[in-house]
Amino acid sequence: MPSASDSLIEDIEDMVSSGDPTPHERQSARKNIMPRSRKRKELPSNEELQAESLIPGTQKVWMKTWGCSHNSSDGEYMAGQLAASGYKMTDDPTEADVWLLNSCTVKNPAEDHFRNSIKKAQDQQKKVVVAGCVPQAQPRMDYLKGLSIIGVQQIDRVVEVVDEAVKGHSVRLLGQKKDGGRKLGGARLDLPKIRKNPLIEIISINTGCLNACTYCKTKHARGDLASYPIEELVERARQSFQEGVCEIWLTSEDTGAYGRDIGTDLPTLLWKLVEEIPDGAMLRLGMTNPPYILEHLQEMAKVLNHPRVYAFLHVPVQSASDSVLMDMKREYCIDDFKRVVDFLKERVPGVTIATDIICGFPGETEEDFQETVELVKHYQFPSLFINQFYPRPGTPAAKMDQVPAHVKKQRTKELSQVFHSYSPYGHKVGERQHVLVTEESFDTQYYVAHNKFYEQVLVPKRAEFKGKMIEVDVYEAGKHFMKGKPVEDSTPFTPSISAPLLKGEVSGLKQVNTPCKSVVRTYKYVVNVLISI
């Protein structure tokens, strides 16, 4: 008979029948359950600790997330549910009992880091649970054998999966959420979460996309477009502001396509959200592909001009060659992209347009590449993400004739040199700006703030500035940032309508009348014992 550690359960549904209560119903039922007291045989303290450690929910969990802000949001939700259920989230991987690895499949290096982390965890005898786009798109990869997997649509069941992993079971949840045959946007937005930054709320407005780009592996994981209803998104924003958030990021694989599956559109959502934003707080839009923003340009310009919305838009171009764009199946030509940029620059003075470029896509000629170089020279994008092409397994582009590695590397280097040849912020030295302070710089020497155009401004690290809108005079400019000196006679403005949550505190639990942790854990232990029987 195989041991518990050798058993493989393909899905939790293999253990729980359809007639059993759902996790949500169990959570509600816990409020009314009081465990029967029983006499226990006295054990030495060390033995008691060992027995306790076998009960799921008493362990420490370390989580690592790679990739986009959508992945970050998923990671925050998973951490919140685990913490609300009794698990201890830790920043120290060495002290953790379980490693929860939330992957990204966009580039080879990101997947390499993910795979190496799995091996490191196994070498250290850690329990491993994997999530994100890599296992969702490629669950049968050799290095994922025997591991518990949480699909991108199943993050609301992370506690169950981690519980089973702790007990030595391998559980895989990879299904799609549907309602009456229609794909849903994903897990509920009102789940507990732990914000990485208590001042910033990341909201996924939809999942999946309408494109079928030949190089993209994310489509395999996230699938077709599925949007959340406007009222759910507005309620999530409202709750976030009540918890002290002062900045919201909207994210998805393509925010511009929002609502096309449910009979609405992005501008309609944005105007509803703007009504909820307190004075001084800000909203940042996520990435949108050119085809799905073209028909909304006028309304988008109005929204971006709103004082509580950053005049910032991330519009990936990928290449300035129409022939390359056709091979990529990007569904627009370079003139479409230019129309978006030119219109917004005219109607939203000072707007920041960020973009992405892939160097060395299969079939890209030197002439194709030079068209991209000229595009960058013309627009001098202040934020430019330059990516060397990596063929992703299972994508059409992986089967195309590849550009030699040394050519891809050279083109990436050349475009990087063009990007570093201009200074996007030099002309702003001497300006007086209002900036919202939300983060700490990587070197921990400054606080990071952003002005109306989502340009990064470093300010002195003074506690009274955190989470405040302050006025600064710009005195220095670098390639990626400016530095601002606070105006002496100005008073920091507090946009938050309540005190922010503490770092690591679980969102969404303040208004919930939860039973004490010991009752929750005892009930959960009883349920798990019954299931295992």
Side-chain angles (χ1 to χ4, degrees):
M1 179 179 293
S3 66
S5 61
D6 294 327
S7 63
L8 174 63
I9 301 165
E10 284 297 326
D11 197 320
I12 284 182
E13 278 75 7
D14 294 340
M15 302 175 60
V16 186
S17 73
S18 60
D20 286 332
T22 66
H24 182 67
E25 291 168 339
R26 291 177 194 162
Q27 179 70 29
S28 301
R30 292 174 184 173
K31 299 178 183 178
N32 302 317
I33 289 184
M34 185 63 64
R36 182 184 303 167
S37 61
R38 297 179 180 177
K39 292 184 179 180
R40 302 180 61 178
K41 181 180 178 181
E42 291 297 323
L43 294 171
S45 59
N46 64 329
E47 291 185 30
E48 190 168 0
L49 284 172
Q50 290 174 5
E52 180 73 4
S53 68
L54 297 176
I55 301 175
T58 62
Q59 292 77 19
K60 293 181 178 179
V61 180
W62 176 71
M63 185 171 68
K64 171 71 175 176
T65 293
W66 291 267
C68 65
S69 54
H70 194 162
N71 250 25
S72 297
S73 177
D74 286 353
E76 291 181 350
Y77 274 121
M78 288 190 284
Q81 291 170 87
L82 290 168
S85 186
Y87 285 97
K88 168 72 174 176
M89 302 305 296
T90 177
D91 293 328
D92 184 355
T94 62
E95 72 171 19
D97 304 289
V98 181
W99 284 18
L100 174 53
L101 305 175
N102 189 18
S103 64
C104 172
T105 192
V106 171
K107 302 178 187 177
N108 290 31
E111 184 171 346
D112 291 341
H113 287 307
F114 171 61
R115 183 170 54 246
N116 292 338
S117 294
I118 291 174
K119 185 178 185 306
K120 187 175 181 180
Q122 293 169 330
D123 290 344
Q124 296 182 26
Q125 305 298 309
K126 307 290 186 182
K127 301 290 186 182
V128 183
V129 176
V130 295
C133 292
V134 171
Q136 179 72 52
Q138 302 168 278
R140 301 189 185 281
M141 294 291 287
D142 286 344
Y143 68 88
L144 297 178
K145 285 184 178 177
L147 299 182
S148 288
I149 295 177
I150 305 164
V152 295
Q153 292 267 312
Q154 304 289 340
I155 61 171
D156 55 343
R157 300 182 67 181
V158 62
V159 175
E160 297 171 79
V161 176
V162 172
D163 281 353
E164 296 307 320
V166 166
K167 294 187 293 186
H169 298 146
S170 179
V171 181
R172 298 188 167 203
L173 290 178
L174 295 165
Q176 295 289 325
K177 289 186 179 297
K178 294 185 178 181
D179 181 14
R182 182 180 67 83
K183 181 186 172 186
L184 298 178
R188 298 194 330 267
L189 293 173
D190 61 351
L191 293 169
K193 76 186 305 188
I194 296 178
R195 298 183 184 96
K196 185 177 180 181
N197 184 337
L199 296 172
I200 299 175
E201 166 73 0
I202 306 172
I203 303 179
S204 302
I205 63 174
N206 55 266
T207 187
C209 65
L210 294 173
N211 276 23
C213 302
T214 55
Y215 56 82
C216 183
K217 190 74 174 177
T218 306
K219 176 82 172 188
H220 295 193
R222 298 282 184 179
D224 292 326
L225 179 70
S227 305
Y228 286 99
I230 287 179
E231 56 271 20
E232 292 182 18
L233 295 166
V234 170
E235 180 55 35
R236 182 69 212 181
R238 187 180 295 125
Q239 178 192 329
S240 301
F241 290 126
Q242 291 170 349
E243 294 176 337
V245 162
C246 62
E247 186 170 289
I248 283 185
W249 296 356
L250 299 186
T251 185
S252 77
E253 283 64 60
D254 187 349
T255 59
Y258 170 80
R260 285 175 174 249
D261 57 320
I262 58 173
T264 186
D265 54 42
L266 181 61
T268 302
L269 168 65
L270 295 177
W271 287 123
K272 290 290 186 181
L273 288 172
V274 162
E275 296 175 7
E276 303 295 330
I277 304 174
D279 286 340
M282 298 297 289
L283 174 70
R284 191 195 81 174
L285 276 64
M287 184 274 286
T288 177
N289 285 311
Y292 308 115
I293 205 68
L294 276 168
E295 66 190 72
H296 301 308
L297 284 179
Q298 297 224 17
E299 281 300 300
M300 289 303 299
K302 293 177 184 177
V303 172
L304 293 174
N305 275 312
H306 193 283
R308 295 193 293 275
V309 179
Y310 286 119
F312 167 90
L313 199 61
H314 179 192
V315 189
V317 63
Q318 305 302 8
S319 173
S321 164
D322 283 340
S323 62
V324 173
L325 291 174
M326 185 178 295
D327 289 340
M328 291 179 172
K329 286 194 175 179
R330 289 291 287 168
E331 299 184 4
Y332 59 88
C333 63
I334 193 58
D335 284 344
D336 293 330
F337 174 81
K338 290 179 178 179
R339 181 183 164 205
V340 170
V341 177
D342 293 342
F343 186 93
L344 293 178
K345 280 182 169 290
E346 178 186 349
R347 303 295 181 91
V348 189
V351 66
T352 296
I353 302 293
T355 196
D356 301 359
I357 287 173
I358 296 174
C359 293
F361 186 81
E364 181 187 64
T365 65
E366 185 60 31
E367 291 75 19
D368 293 329
F369 174 67
Q370 288 306 318
E371 289 183 63
T372 301
V373 170
E374 292 305 313
L375 183 81
V376 173
K377 287 180 178 179
H378 175 73
Y379 285 108
Q380 297 195 352
F381 303 103
S383 184
L384 178 62
F385 304 95
I386 302 171
N387 304 290
Q388 182 175 316
F389 175 75
Y390 291 98
R392 304 298 291 128
T395 61
K399 301 175 183 178
M400 298 177 181
D401 292 335
Q402 302 296 307
V403 172
H406 72 279
V407 176
K408 290 192 291 186
K409 185 175 180 180
Q410 176 57 37
R411 290 177 183 172
T412 303
K413 181 180 178 182
E414 181 180 339
L415 195 60
S416 297
Q417 289 173 341
V418 172
F419 173 61
H420 286 283
S421 69
Y422 56 85
S423 175
Y425 307 128
H427 66 287
K428 298 202 171 190
V429 173
E431 285 187 1
R432 180 164 290 187
Q433 302 179 351
H434 284 90
V435 298
L436 180 59
V437 183
T438 55
E439 303 171 72
E440 186 178 71
S441 62
F442 285 117
D443 62 6
T444 72
Q445 300 303 304
Y446 299 90
Y447 277 153
V448 177
H450 292 94
N451 59 20
K452 161 68 177 170
F453 311 104
Y454 203 69
E455 296 164 336
Q456 185 169 271
V457 182
L458 304 180
V459 301
K461 192 176 176 182
R462 286 159 48 180
E464 65 268 26
F465 290 163
K466 194 72 174 289
K468 305 292 196 302
M469 181 75 76
I470 66 173
E471 194 172 19
V472 300
D473 289 323
V474 176
Y475 67 90
E476 183 180 330
K479 178 63 181 175
H480 302 284
F481 63 88
M482 291 169 273
K483 289 183 179 179
K485 180 181 179 181
V487 176
E488 290 185 8
D489 58 352
S490 67
T491 302
F493 177 76
T494 304
S496 300
I497 60 177
S498 62
L501 300 180
L502 300 176
K503 188 172 180 61
E505 190 174 354
V506 181
S507 162
L509 293 188
K510 283 189 174 182
Q511 295 79 28
V512 179
N513 183 24
T514 56
C516 71
K517 185 181 292 185
S518 60
V519 174
V520 172
R521 296 317 314 174
T522 303
Y523 171 76
K524 188 172 183 183
Y525 175 60
V526 172
V527 170
N528 283 329
V529 169
L530 292 174
I531 290 174
S532 63
I533 292 172

